[in-house]
Amino acid sequence: MTDEENRNANTVVDDGADASTPKKRGAGLSRREMLLAGATSAVALATEVGAQERKRAGAAVATKTVKGMPFRAFVRHGTQGEVVDLRLRDITPTQVVVRTRGSCGCYTVTTAVLGDAPVATPNIPNHSGMGIVEAVGAQVRRVRVGDRVLVSGTPWCGHCHQCLSGTPEWCNYLAPNGVPNDPIADMRDKTGVIEAAVIGGLSEIIVAYEEYCVPIFSDVPDEQIAMLGDTGAVGIAATDVYDPVQIGQNVVIFGAGPIGLAAVQGAKAKAAGQIIVVEPARTRREKALGFGATTVLDPNQDTATLVERIRGMCKARTDRLEAGGQVPGNNRFSMRGADLVIDCSGYDRFPPKVEPGPDPTGLLALRQAWEVTAPGGSLVTLAVQNGDIAFPGAIFCLSGRRIFGGQMAGMNVMRDTPRFITAMEKGQVDIGALVTSKRPLDQVKAAFQGVADRTELGVVITFPT
Ligand SMILES: [Zn+2]
Ligand SMILES: [Zn+2]
């Protein structure tokens, strides 16, 4: 079967014009009839067509009726957080049912998993995962039953205003904008459960909108693909998307957690000149050196002179202006600084069990990151800081520093994920080395405690295959 035939066979859209192949295209129902029939029929139809296609292709992936399917998930409800039994509801025509195989922990989710603040609606925390497609709604085209798929933390639709305007990281399907976040399952008492960010992840089943699904055509291990839904991909993208690193440029990275260390790898892969990492925890500084950092700095040492030290390292080769030089001044209008600065430090949601930084709000690191960015250089902000920050007005407006508020580091997940996987396959980046813990669903709290303590880097919740 050709790719074209495959695509047609899997697309259960039928305008009734092709009467010679009604069963292949969806048992004779027109698209309008199918939509009028509602989600249940649409899902069954898609499953049936998927089954026919698998039979033709010889695939051995079973499908199931999704409504009522039992599964387990970590659910926050009331003030509790625990693994509970759930029953799946019907999906809509644009949703995909994924049998989860991995979901990487994100520091921003530690509060949701470990906290005890009451939640209004029971929900499955986290915001990425990967697994195998088990069923698709009738309008889904991007992925097929049996596909290995990444459910990315950010969608890409390709047709909304932001996708067409070159800012796909703000695709309008990004929750809570373009898609409803309705319950996907019920607890035993029939209370509906939603997925955080319309993804969740800490669950045997993820129900994802098609726009969030990135099909994976690679043998890269599950836990590494899981890291591409969030931290691993974001770190690489910070060196590659908004203002890609050029050979020999200076890169400064604040924070050597999983995002920062992935950024170190990305900068090295792109042949940066200096890769300077600012990180308070000794073990993380050592990791950074192992991944290619050329200098590591402790922000607790000589905190007041940190900016000056980094600027001194990021200077032109000469002060002879006629020869490509730069004036040596280090005042507030300093010419010196890094070509690309990436802030992935983040505020302390919990007291770290490793050496804490000088400012638990993260605002000092953000200010320093901005100050060490050269005129014309770029600052990518990936960390979530706690509180408001003030900048001196004149220099903020005139310095020429470009600031990228780094939702998913600007990724177009359909365009960029395959490129990152190629780099992983070639060993140009080693996302697997960032995975320090793999734990089953029953150990979600312990896994996220390691993330909260900052004693772990990449933590992946894994599921039996
Ligand atoms: Zn995240
Ligand atoms: Zn879009």
Side-chain angles (χ1 to χ4, degrees):
M1 185 178 286
T2 66
D3 285 349
E4 179 69 19
E5 288 168 335
N6 249 325
R7 189 166 65 248
N8 289 340
N10 196 48
T11 303
V12 288
V13 174
D14 187 350
D15 59 9
D18 185 358
S20 63
T21 56
K23 288 183 180 174
K24 178 180 175 184
R25 296 280 183 100
L29 283 181
S30 71
R31 176 185 176 84
R32 185 167 176 275
E33 288 169 334
M34 193 174 65
L35 291 174
L36 289 173
T40 305
S41 298
V43 169
L45 200 55
T47 304
E48 179 191 332
V49 172
Q52 290 174 10
E53 185 190 27
R54 284 192 312 285
K55 192 173 178 183
R56 285 191 294 273
V61 180
T63 55
K64 301 171 183 175
T65 303
V66 299
K67 186 177 182 182
M69 182 195 296
F71 66 101
R72 298 165 70 239
F74 180 86
V75 173
R76 277 299 313 275
H77 59 98
T79 58
Q80 311 254 332
E82 59 183 343
V83 176
V84 301
D85 294 318
L86 299 175
R87 294 270 179 183
L88 199 61
R89 292 189 180 184
D90 265 333
I91 61 173
T92 69
T94 64
Q95 285 182 320
V96 177
V97 177
V98 177
R99 176 71 57 177
T100 315
R101 284 172 50 170
S103 179
C104 87
C106 176
Y107 188 78
T108 62
V109 180
T110 53
T111 317
V113 171
L114 302 173
D116 56 6
V119 296
T121 307
N123 70 84
I124 302 168
N126 217 14
H127 44 243
S128 69
M130 63 81 57
I132 304 297
V133 174
E134 195 148 305
V136 295
Q139 295 176 10
V140 171
R141 298 189 62 174
R142 188 180 296 177
V143 297
R144 303 173 178 178
V145 172
D147 274 356
R148 195 162 176 243
V149 64
L150 171 68
V151 182
S152 176
T154 291
W156 179 83
C157 76
H159 52 248
C160 76
H161 183 78
Q162 260 63 33
C163 280
L164 295 173
S165 302
T167 50
E169 76 274 26
W170 280 103
C171 173
N172 282 229
Y173 287 77
L174 183 67
N177 291 316
V179 287
N181 191 359
D182 294 327
I184 59 116
D186 293 302
M187 299 203 294
R188 281 195 173 133
D189 64 1
K190 304 300 181 192
T191 307
V193 176
I194 64 172
E195 297 166 309
V198 301
I199 299 172
L202 307 180
S203 170
E204 292 173 346
I205 292 289
I206 298 174
V207 174
Y209 289 97
E210 174 179 26
E211 291 78 11
Y212 286 76
C213 295
V214 180
I216 302 298
F217 304 102
S218 168
D219 295 327
V220 167
D222 288 347
E223 68 272 16
Q224 296 184 36
I225 297 298
M227 292 286 287
L228 293 183
D230 197 335
T231 54
V234 168
I236 300 171
T239 67
D240 183 63
V241 177
Y242 288 124
D243 186 10
V245 175
Q246 297 176 36
I247 294 173
Q249 284 191 324
N250 293 320
V251 178
V252 176
I253 298 165
F254 282 74
I259 298 176
L261 292 173
V264 170
Q265 295 186 17
K268 185 183 181 193
K270 297 178 79 71
Q274 295 186 89
I275 304 172
I276 301 167
V277 172
V278 182
E279 163 61 49
R282 181 182 54 79
T283 53
R284 293 184 168 201
R285 290 198 302 273
E286 289 171 352
K287 284 271 189 186
L289 286 171
F291 288 133
T294 55
T295 304
V296 291
L297 299 171
D298 179 355
N300 290 312
Q301 288 191 351
D302 304 320
T303 304
T305 58
L306 183 73
V307 168
E308 186 180 341
R309 287 166 66 198
I310 294 175
R311 282 176 174 171
M313 296 167 67
C314 300
K315 62 182 181 182
R317 287 175 178 266
T318 177
D319 58 6
R320 292 166 45 199
L321 303 189
E322 305 82 354
Q326 191 178 47
V327 292
N330 191 30
N331 59 27
R332 65 197 186 107
F333 287 100
S334 172
M335 298 297 139
R336 294 173 170 176
D339 302 293
L340 175 65
V341 181
I342 303 166
D343 179 22
C344 28
S345 51
Y347 80 93
D348 291 336
R349 291 166 185 265
F350 296 89
K353 294 274 176 62
V354 295
E355 298 91 330
D359 174 17
T361 71
L363 295 176
L364 176 62
L366 176 58
R367 175 64 184 263
Q368 290 170 328
W370 176 73
E371 289 183 343
V372 301
T373 306
S378 295
L379 168 62
V380 178
T381 58
L382 300 172
V384 177
Q385 316 296 13
N386 190 12
D388 299 331
I389 186 167
F391 289 98
I395 188 65
F396 184 85
C397 295
L398 300 175
S399 67
R401 295 170 179 141
R402 295 180 289 174
I403 300 176
F404 296 95
Q407 147 63 14
M408 201 71 186
M411 277 185 75
N412 174 331
V413 294
M414 281 292 286
R415 178 196 65 191
D416 299 330
T417 305
R419 295 192 298 111
F420 295 174
I421 289 175
T422 298
M424 292 159 74
E425 290 173 337
K426 287 177 165 292
Q428 293 164 325
V429 293
D430 186 2
I431 296 302
L434 298 178
V435 179
T436 54
S437 178
K438 293 192 286 185
R439 288 178 179 267
L441 184 62
D442 290 322
Q443 295 178 22
V444 162
K445 283 194 173 181
F448 275 77
Q449 191 62 57
V451 177
D453 293 342
R454 300 191 193 265
T455 52
E456 300 282 0
L457 294 170
V459 170
V460 178
I461 304 301
T462 58
F463 300 81
T465 55

